[in-house]
Amino acid sequence: MNTKIIDKATEMYLSFGFKSVTMDDIASKMGISKKTIYQHFENKTDLVEAVTMHLFETISCGIDNIQAMDKNPIEELYAIKDFVLKNLKNESTSPIYQLQKYYPQIHKTLMSRQFEKMGDCVIENLRKGIEQGLFRDDINLELIGRFYFAGMTSIKDAELFNPIQFSSKLVQETYLEYHVRGISTAKGIAVLEEIIKNNNQ
């Protein structure tokens, strides 16, 4: 039952936002009593934290699987972007922004765990790109890794990037292209433009 509640809450929070969905809404959708939910989760904050960490683990596992496919580093970044968008339902409700606004402590914990995960992934991706001649060999790995993380975090700010004006998909794709163009060699740019061309067909 614990897993079923997390799965349903995840689906509803991503569709309607952390703030909008109540424990009553989740209970009603599952056809169970609110009391049953409280047998597994002390309060809404407890459930939001469980959902957030469940999503983090799901996405982390997916990223590990993509990295194991041995794609070239630019293809890898685009595959990860597509996987994250799919799992966050294109973030139409800006869940990360809502998390930061209404559950700041959970958001802080999530950011810390994401930085640990993404820091390693991005630096490994950059190293691989340099080895394959796709990324410039004069880039500062630690600094670019932090730039990338800071950018990926900032584009989730719904006040800066209003999802009504800019879709999450458009923002993420534009940011990713911006990142890759900034660090690529001519060979890397050619790979990037081929990916963009294929995605637009």
Side-chain angles (χ1 to χ4, degrees):
M1 182 55 76
N2 188 291
T3 304
K4 286 181 180 177
I5 294 168
I6 290 175
D7 287 345
K8 180 52 69 178
T10 300
E11 179 190 320
M12 293 179 73
Y13 287 149
L14 291 179
S15 297
F16 306 108
F18 285 109
K19 177 68 173 172
S20 307
V21 178
T22 66
M23 300 293 254
D24 282 317
D25 293 332
I26 297 165
S28 173
K29 204 75 175 173
M30 292 185 71
I32 60 175
S33 69
K34 191 163 68 170
K35 185 179 175 183
T36 303
I37 297 179
Y38 284 121
Q39 286 172 353
H40 296 271
F41 301 96
E42 191 175 330
N43 49 43
K44 184 178 176 181
T45 301
D46 192 25
L47 179 56
V48 167
E49 184 173 19
V51 164
T52 303
M53 293 309 138
H54 167 69
L55 266 173
F56 172 78
E57 293 300 335
T58 300
I59 290 171
S60 293
C61 185
I63 290 172
D64 289 342
N65 290 337
I66 290 167
Q67 287 187 306
M69 291 177 186
D70 207 29
K71 295 173 178 288
N72 81 52
I74 300 174
E75 288 174 334
E76 184 177 276
L77 286 172
Y78 273 82
I80 289 171
K81 181 264 300 174
D82 290 342
F83 174 78
V84 171
L85 279 172
K86 182 182 174 186
N87 275 272
L88 294 183
K89 296 190 173 183
N90 291 330
E91 302 187 88
S92 56
T93 56
S94 305
I96 300 299
Y97 179 68
Q98 286 196 16
L99 196 68
Q100 181 179 15
K101 190 171 182 181
Y102 300 110
Y103 301 93
Q105 194 54 51
I106 297 173
H107 179 264
K108 187 177 177 182
T109 302
L110 177 65
M111 287 299 101
S112 175
R113 294 190 67 183
Q114 278 189 339
F115 180 70
E116 287 176 21
K117 177 69 181 176
M118 271 187 72
D120 293 340
C121 289
V122 173
I123 287 177
E124 179 58 33
N125 181 273
L126 292 170
R127 280 203 185 101
K128 197 157 67 169
I130 291 170
E131 286 168 8
Q132 294 180 20
L134 300 174
F135 298 155
R136 301 194 328 266
D137 60 9
D138 61 345
I139 59 177
N140 183 317
L141 297 181
E142 286 290 336
L143 202 52
I144 296 298
R146 287 167 188 264
F147 282 165
Y148 185 72
F149 180 78
M152 286 300 288
T153 303
S154 296
I155 63 174
K156 291 177 173 61
D157 186 331
E159 287 184 356
L160 275 176
F161 301 97
N162 187 320
I164 296 168
Q165 187 178 1
F166 307 106
S167 74
S168 179
K169 186 172 185 286
L170 174 64
V171 172
Q172 290 211 29
E173 286 182 347
T174 305
Y175 177 69
L176 186 52
E177 180 182 349
Y178 175 81
H179 165 72
V180 174
R181 284 190 185 279
I183 60 174
S184 288
T185 60
K187 181 181 173 184
I189 296 289
V191 170
L192 170 67
E193 290 183 345
E194 186 63 27
I195 290 171
I196 292 170
K197 181 180 152 189
N198 291 337
N199 285 349
N200 289 336
Q201 284 178 353

